Amino acid sequence: MTQAIAPPLTLYERDLDLWLETVITQLKAGDFHNLDVENLIEELEGLSGSNKREIESRLKRLIEHILKRCYVDMPECYRGWLLTIFEQRDELKSLLRQSPSLKRHFLKMFDDCFETSLKRLKIEYPDYQFPDTWQFGRDIDTMINVDFWE
C-alpha cells in the first residue's frame, strides 16, 4: 500500500510574517503577477473584522463602566471605573482616528453593545437598577468626551 505524500506547505502556511514581508515587497515592486491574492484577501478580510470586533469590545466595556459609574453606588470603585472609561475612550479615539470609516460600525453596533453590557451588569450587580434604554447621547463625540455622572 502506498502512502499519499502531502503537498509541501506554502510560505503562507509555514511563516506568516515572512509571507507578509514578501507580499509587501511584491506590492512595492508592482509584481502583481506572483502575488498570493487569495491569502492576501483572506488576511485583509481578517484585519477588517478584527478592527470591528475591537470597536465592539471597547464600546461594550465603555458602556459597562459608564453605567457602573452612573448607577452603582460604590464610591470606593469609582476611581477604577473612571480609569477604565479613560482607557476605553482613548483606545476608541485612536482606532477611529486611524480608521474613520469604523465610525459607521460604532454607530451601527451601539444598541447591540448596550444590550450585551446591560445583561452583564444585571448579572454582576443584581441589587442595582439599570435603565433598559441608553439614557444619554450615543454619538461618538458624546461617548468619547462627556462625563455623564457629573
Side-chain angles (χ1 to χ4, degrees), residues 30-61:
D31 183 10
F32 305 120
H33 181 70
N34 293 311
L35 198 59
D36 182 358
V37 174
E38 184 179 318
N39 286 318
L40 179 58
I41 290 169
E42 183 178 321
E43 287 301 315
L44 291 173
E45 287 174 339
L47 179 61
S48 174
S50 174
N51 288 339
K52 289 175 180 174
R53 285 187 300 277
E54 185 171 355
I55 287 284
E56 291 173 33
S57 175
R58 293 192 178 279
L59 180 57
K60 287 176 199 172
R61 192 147 167 88

Side-chain angles (χ1 to χ4, degrees), residues 90-134:
D90 188 55
E91 291 297 325
L92 281 166
K93 280 191 276 190
S94 293
L95 279 165
L96 295 171
R97 187 173 32 252
Q98 181 182 11
S99 300
S101 64
L102 288 172
K103 291 176 182 178
R104 291 188 311 264
H105 191 69
F106 178 103
L107 298 170
K108 176 182 165 191
M109 296 308 298
F110 190 92
D111 288 333
D112 288 342
C113 290
F114 173 74
E115 282 183 36
T116 300
S117 297
L118 184 61
K119 286 177 186 175
R120 178 180 165 86
L121 288 175
K122 286 182 175 183
I123 293 168
E124 187 176 358
Y125 297 97
D127 297 333
Y128 288 91
Q129 294 294 316
F130 297 96
D132 289 328
T133 58
W134 183 251

Side-chain angles (χ1 to χ4, degrees), residues 65 68-69 72 74-83 125:
H65 284 78
K68 287 179 188 183
R69 179 57 186 88
V72 177
M74 296 175 73
E76 67 276 11
C77 296
Y78 289 174
R79 182 174 172 207
W81 294 338
L82 292 175
L83 288 171
Y125 297 97

Side-chain angles (χ1 to χ4, degrees), residues 20-31:
L20 286 168
E21 289 176 16
T22 302
V23 167
I24 291 167
T25 301
Q26 289 172 324
L27 288 169
K28 285 180 177 179
D31 183 10

